[in-house]
Amino acid sequence: MGDERSILEQALAWRRQGRGVALATVVATWGSSPRPVGSLLAVEAAGDFVGSVSGGCVEAAVIEAAQSVIASGTPRRLEFGVSDADAWAVGLACGGRIEVFVEPVS
Amino acid sequence: MKLATLEAVLAAQARGERAAILTDLADGRQALVVGGEVLGMPTLGESERALAMAAVASGRSRLVETAGERLFIQVVAPPPRLILVGAVHIAEVLAPMAALAGWSAIIIDPRQRWRQRGGFAGCHVVGDWPDTALAALAPDAETAVVTLTHDPKLDDPALLAALASPAFYVGALGSRRTHGARLARLAAAGVAEAARARLHAPVGLAIGALTPAEIAVSILAEIIAVRRGALATGGGG
């Protein structure tokens, strides 16, 4: 139910079905952040996902990055800061910052 | 992450062992920490190795930043366990609630009639007497034990075993009055005062709970509060 084990199990199940999979992990947080360090999000090539790195604020951007990581096979680091509501920019409403590491499961 | 690393971490979990994945954030190189050993990343320094072991022991994932290097340690621990004594109404609600919150719920009840009432789908149900069952389950520092039967024949052997174990939380359902009698029985059975003081009773946070579901919420909330360090580990609720 959203814990690390079930997220990793889903990643493994997708991989065994031959689907491309990437794992996104919160590796650092500054200030108030919605999910703690170590929080996981598993994404498969078509965009299905389990888990969460921000409780919903930046998931869409992370899923998009994960799909590019699945295609390229190269890990990426992403940083998200405070959102700019007027510009509809991707960000965290809580005012914190997070760093997310996205890697392919190969 | 290599498929083999993912499989090894999940296999360790299934064995009830903690494992960790070490990632060099500069290039994505990884090592696996399992059974007190670091597999892979032969260039890893002694201090990084020690930090990885400390993270596994604490159960907390963390980022380690050293001169020019950033290592992320992802700890993957087996779920904490909640052992309930008594396949009673509160257990029917508390066990699935705990499972939703990421716990592994186990119900002990030697009374076949109670066990067979159903309502425990997906939970591990044990039919042995509580002392035998708890000896086999071996509560550890990531285990909570709660007695729910109101019957000293069942509750007391469970409490004796739980209070003698490293379980981080031991609770007993029942009123303040029956708790006085319970403490006297435990003392007579040779349980030291410090161990008796560990017992949470009446069990649960005081939220005015009345229904089985509300009582389950108050019990689970108290267990989480103790585990996360927001409440003392002993005393009455």
Side-chain angles (χ1 to χ4, degrees):
Chain A
M1 274 298 148
D3 60 312
E4 294 110 333
R5 184 181 41 137
S6 63
I7 296 163
L8 294 175
E9 275 170 358
Q10 182 62 67
L12 182 61
W14 278 331
R15 200 70 200 85
R16 283 182 174 159
Q17 288 165 14
R19 296 155 85 171
V21 179
L23 271 177
T25 309
V26 177
V27 295
T29 65
W30 296 266
S32 98
S33 68
R35 300 279 288 124
V37 161
S39 297
L40 288 171
L41 175 74
V43 181
E44 64 82 59
D48 278 353
F49 64 98
V50 289
S52 137
V53 291
S54 75
C57 308
V58 300
E59 262 67 14
V62 174
I63 290 162
E64 211 170 287
Q67 288 176 297
S68 86
V69 162
I70 292 167
S72 71
T74 312
R76 280 176 68 182
R77 282 190 307 117
L78 311 170
E79 278 194 44
F80 298 97
V82 185
S83 63
D84 180 347
D86 294 334
W88 288 91
V90 167
L92 301 171
C94 54
R97 268 200 312 139
I98 62 171
E99 179 180 345
V100 179
F101 184 72
V102 188
E103 60 184 318
V105 178
S106 52
Chain B
M1 183 182 300
K2 290 197 180 83
L3 188 58
T5 305
L6 185 54
E7 285 171 333
V9 165
L10 287 169
Q13 270 238 325
R15 291 194 304 270
E17 269 179 53
R18 279 184 191 161
I21 301 160
L22 251 64
T23 306
D24 184 332
L25 294 183
D27 55 15
R29 277 186 315 136
Q30 282 175 330
L32 179 68
V33 185
V34 66
E37 274 189 89
V38 181
L39 310 172
M41 246 192 240
T43 55
L44 198 67
E46 263 320 301
S47 62
E48 285 84 2
R49 200 172 289 264
L51 284 166
M53 292 305 172
V56 173
S58 76
R60 283 178 192 233
S61 300
R62 58 171 295 202
L63 178 66
V64 174
E65 294 181 273
T66 52
E69 231 189 358
R70 297 175 80 229
L71 268 184
F72 187 69
I73 307 168
Q74 173 85 37
V75 180
V76 185
R81 289 184 296 170
L82 173 60
I83 301 176
L84 302 174
V85 179
V88 297
H89 292 105
I90 291 171
E92 277 176 30
V93 202
L94 181 49
M97 209 178 262
L100 277 172
W103 293 68
S104 165
I106 301 148
I107 296 143
I108 301 171
D109 201 321
R111 302 167 300 180
Q112 195 177 22
R113 248 195 207 169
W114 287 84
R115 281 202 313 276
Q116 285 181 341
R117 288 180 316 123
F120 299 109
C123 296
H124 180 37
V125 183
V126 180
D128 292 327
W129 273 84
D131 46 356
T132 309
L134 281 171
L137 291 166
D140 58 17
E142 283 283 272
T143 307
V145 181
V146 180
T147 60
L148 300 170
T149 72
H150 292 291
D151 181 347
K153 280 200 309 296
L154 293 164
D155 283 358
D156 287 7
L159 293 174
L160 290 174
L163 290 173
S165 79
F168 76 91
Y169 179 99
V170 183
L173 185 70
S175 68
R176 263 177 217 292
R177 202 167 59 80
T178 59
H179 186 52
R182 180 186 295 117
L183 286 177
R185 288 195 308 274
L186 293 176
V191 178
E193 193 181 347
R196 295 200 304 273
R198 287 219 297 138
L199 188 54
H200 289 264
V203 72
L205 294 183
I207 57 170
L210 280 179
T211 65
E214 290 172 358
I215 293 166
V217 168
S218 90
I219 295 173
L220 190 57
E222 184 175 54
I223 292 171
I224 291 169
V226 170
R227 178 159 182 258
R228 297 298 188 195
L231 266 185
T233 53

